[in-house]
Amino acid sequence: METTLRGVGVSHGVAIGEVRHMGTAVLEPPAKQIRPEDAEREQGRARKAVEAVAADLIARGNLAGGEAQAVLEAQAMMAQDPELMADVERRIAVGSTAERGVYDAFAMYREMLAGAGEYMAGRVADLDDVRNRIVARLLGVPMPGVPDSDEPYVLIARDLAPADTALLDPSLVLGFVTEEGGPTSHSAILARALGVPAVVALPGAKELAEGTLIAVDGSTGEIFVEPSQEKRGRLERAAAERKAALAASSGPGATSDGHKVPLLANVGGPADVPAAVEAGAEGVGLFRTEFLFLDDSKQAPSEEKQVEAYRKVLEAFPEGRVVVRVLDAGADKPLDFLTPADEPNPALGVRGLRSLLDHPDVLRTQLTALSKAVAGLPVYLEVMAPMVADRTDAKAFADACREAGLQAKFGAMVEIPSAALRARSILQEVEFLSLGTNDLAQYTFAADRQVGAVSRLQDPWQPALLDLVALSAEAAKAEGKSCGVCGEAASDPLLACVLTGLGVTSLSMGAASIPYVRATLAKYTLAQCERAAAAARAADTAEEARVAAQAVLSGE
């Protein structure tokens, strides 16, 4: 009998296939004591296992490239944390086996992370995966990972670790469903990059029996269990129509009446550029530069290394627009040389621009490197600061850009509600705004973007979030300046129409979403988008906003 479940759709497309569950490693090793003379040997075993797991994560990152590489390198840094390793060795010295020492040390670190504020708690799943991989290697049991199968399937998991998601084979894994996670979790971001339909935050996902036939709609978040032939036919026809529309869509982003909406790509480094170019991106709306700094948490990369990496991206978009975000460190991206180690709540502490202003040499080097990288290139460079709270922040950043001799437009990200509320004030100091809807939702609703239990508050359709977008766009229009969106909200084709109706002037997203957004925008006039935006803002809930906008655009 057909039943329907609903989670949070995070990656477009429809997948129909049988359920396969993610395998798990033995989580807790036996608590047995070793002889004192065996401690040194066990410590050596632990060190070798940690280094092997770190090397494996880095190798997987190198294969995957792009955003996945940065995520996996951050996990490798977790594995090699010197304080954590010292704790493992202390536990072994007083009688623990290598595997038990690792398990107990990680448990202590896990408890600290879980209690360090919701933002850091979102890293617990990544930490658990690192622990499981080390313990599995020490016990000689299979690594946690995707199941072996010769036939395509839909993967079900409590959550997916980045190391698993990054190397999924789309020819076998038709789509995936997780019980935890949110629309901006690592799994969701990597699913969009792979182009794999995905639904997260589905209560009871693990109860779906192995071999059950399900249909996953990554756009709506619906899961159809044992769908009828009629339902399967409808879903397959809709998917075919969508594919045909994508194939027919090309050129710059615009509404059906010619209102231009540049469609840009979010990139995490040079490895993401080919997909962005292939998707027809008109430039880069968010160039995340953290990938360079995660290679070594002890020191910043040299100016020469930065120049080389930036130039590779800038060269790919002649006559295009490339918006670079300066280093956004802190919270879930701590760096030993930059961020405090003892902050009680890193997400609300010294993060982003605040860290850079505390370390002006790091900011100066990055700005100088960007200035050298763009020299002689026919590209429109724009540079923006993360976590801008007010005009004082904006002025400090603009002054730093000028002092570095940077020939570019300077902008501010709107990720904190205060920046949206005082956007006109901030625009007295900078030339453009860019809305990071992931963090803006997190700070507006006090809802961690990695925690599935509060996923309804991370939904970018929340009317309160749309109000803040509208405030920012209206302020930019009044000042004759631009206001783009570079958060994951832009990757939702229907929401892209609403954002356009709110007055947003450009949309930036993962490359895989660009064709969907381009095709959808081209179906509607600017006036229709504006009416859909008004209807969405008049709603009281995210779901009501989505339904209201859809009704306007479908002419109901």
Side-chain angles (χ1 to χ4, degrees):
M1 179 178 172
E2 180 183 319
T3 57
T4 302
L5 307 174
R6 183 181 286 277
V8 178
V10 296
S11 185
H12 306 301
V14 172
I16 302 174
E18 292 186 356
V19 163
R20 295 287 183 274
H21 284 268
M22 173 70 79
T24 58
V26 174
L27 294 181
E28 185 169 1
K32 58 184 181 182
Q33 292 289 300
I34 62 169
R35 297 175 300 175
E37 57 267 32
D38 292 334
E40 188 173 342
R41 175 176 60 82
E42 290 294 292
Q43 289 171 340
R45 285 182 65 225
R47 284 192 295 271
K48 285 181 181 178
V50 165
E51 291 306 316
V53 166
D56 177 62
L57 290 168
I58 290 170
R60 285 169 177 259
N62 290 335
L63 283 172
E67 296 198 36
Q69 185 170 5
V71 171
L72 292 172
E73 286 176 351
Q75 269 198 297
M77 286 169 55
M78 277 184 174
Q80 295 171 305
D81 183 277
E83 290 186 16
L84 189 53
M85 195 62 225
D87 190 20
V88 171
E89 294 189 346
R90 279 194 298 271
R91 292 172 187 276
I92 293 173
V94 295
S96 288
T97 61
E99 46 266 41
R100 189 71 206 189
V102 167
Y103 182 86
D104 290 339
F106 270 75
M108 181 67 70
Y109 195 46
R110 186 186 198 280
E111 187 177 332
M112 290 167 54
L113 208 58
E118 295 255 359
Y119 203 89
M120 290 300 284
R123 303 277 67 79
V124 166
D126 292 357
L127 185 70
D128 286 349
D129 180 61
V130 172
R131 177 203 63 199
N132 288 350
R133 290 174 184 276
I134 297 171
V135 171
R137 182 171 289 273
L138 287 165
L139 290 174
V141 301
M143 287 286 173
V146 297
D148 290 328
S149 176
D150 295 328
E151 297 296 325
Y153 59 90
V154 176
L155 182 62
I156 308 293
R158 181 183 62 81
D159 201 355
L160 279 173
D164 297 314
T165 316
L167 297 181
L168 288 178
D169 181 352
S171 67
L172 282 177
V173 181
L174 302 172
F176 67 76
V177 179
T178 65
E179 190 157 325
E180 298 184 1
T184 57
S185 65
H186 285 153
S187 294
I189 291 170
L190 295 178
R192 284 188 286 270
L194 286 166
V196 177
V199 171
V200 301
L202 178 71
K206 63 185 177 185
E207 304 302 324
L208 290 168
E210 191 85 1
T212 302
L213 182 70
I214 65 171
V216 179
D217 190 328
S219 299
T220 66
E222 291 174 304
I223 308 293
F224 304 99
V225 182
E226 299 290 1
S228 64
Q229 281 295 120
E230 181 186 0
K231 173 69 75 175
R232 290 177 62 181
R234 284 206 306 270
L235 288 170
E236 288 167 349
R237 284 193 297 275
E241 289 170 5
R242 186 180 297 165
K243 188 174 181 179
L246 294 181
S249 173
S250 62
T255 58
S256 63
D257 56 340
H259 175 72
K260 292 182 179 180
V261 187
L263 302 181
L264 312 170
N266 295 342
V267 304
D272 287 342
V273 169
V277 173
E278 185 180 349
E282 298 169 59
V284 173
L286 172 60
F287 179 8
R288 301 180 179 96
T289 57
E290 290 75 38
F291 75 102
L292 277 168
F293 294 80
L294 290 171
D295 284 346
D296 184 353
S297 68
K298 304 297 182 186
Q299 60 183 3
S302 67
E303 181 182 298
E304 293 74 19
K305 182 177 181 180
Q306 292 189 54
V307 170
E308 181 184 2
Y310 301 150
R311 197 169 179 89
K312 285 179 182 176
V313 175
L314 294 169
E315 286 175 337
F317 295 95
E319 305 300 329
R321 173 186 176 199
V322 176
V323 184
V324 178
R325 180 181 70 190
V326 294
L327 176 63
D328 183 13
D332 64 335
K333 292 169 286 192
L335 295 170
D336 293 347
F337 66 89
L338 197 68
T339 49
D342 57 351
E343 282 195 290
N345 194 335
L348 300 180
V350 183
R351 177 191 169 189
L353 179 61
R354 300 168 187 176
S355 294
L356 293 174
L357 294 178
D358 279 353
H359 297 81
D361 54 322
V362 175
L363 177 58
R364 188 181 308 112
T365 299
Q366 186 170 25
L367 295 174
T368 302
L370 284 165
S371 183
K372 291 182 177 180
V374 77
L377 294 180
V379 63
Y380 298 95
L381 176 65
E382 301 184 7
V383 183
M384 62 185 181
M387 300 297 289
V388 170
D390 57 16
R391 183 173 179 173
T392 300
D393 280 351
K395 183 178 188 305
F397 178 65
D399 287 346
C401 290
R402 282 187 283 267
E403 287 168 12
L406 186 60
Q407 298 298 308
K409 284 187 175 182
F410 318 139
M413 290 198 71
V414 178
E415 301 166 286
I416 303 173
S418 63
L421 293 168
R422 300 290 294 172
R424 287 197 72 169
S425 173
I426 287 172
L427 284 165
Q428 305 311 304
E429 305 294 342
V430 295
E431 298 172 79
F432 69 93
L433 300 177
S434 183
L435 287 139
T437 52
N438 307 343
D439 271 321
L440 186 58
Q442 172 173 251
Y443 291 121
T444 298
F445 296 103
D448 191 302
R449 53 194 280 190
Q450 300 293 337
V451 177
V454 291
S455 61
R456 78 171 185 85
L457 297 172
Q458 301 152 359
D459 192 326
W461 281 94
Q462 284 284 355
L465 188 67
L466 299 181
D467 287 344
L468 293 175
V469 173
L471 280 174
S472 303
E474 289 163 4
K477 183 178 181 179
E479 295 295 328
K481 297 180 178 180
S482 63
C483 175
V485 168
C486 65
E488 293 301 319
S491 65
D492 178 338
L494 180 61
L495 186 51
C497 295
V498 167
L499 294 172
T500 298
L502 292 174
V504 166
T505 55
S506 66
L507 298 166
S508 189
M509 65 209 76
S513 298
I514 290 175
Y516 290 92
V517 172
R518 182 193 292 120
T520 304
L521 266 178
K523 292 164 58 177
Y524 306 108
T525 65
L526 176 60
Q528 286 177 298
C529 293
E530 289 172 341
R531 289 197 295 273
R537 288 184 69 188
D540 291 320
T541 69
E543 182 58 27
E544 289 173 3
R546 186 183 289 107
V547 170
Q550 182 65 72
V552 169
L553 293 177
S554 61
E556 295 177 7

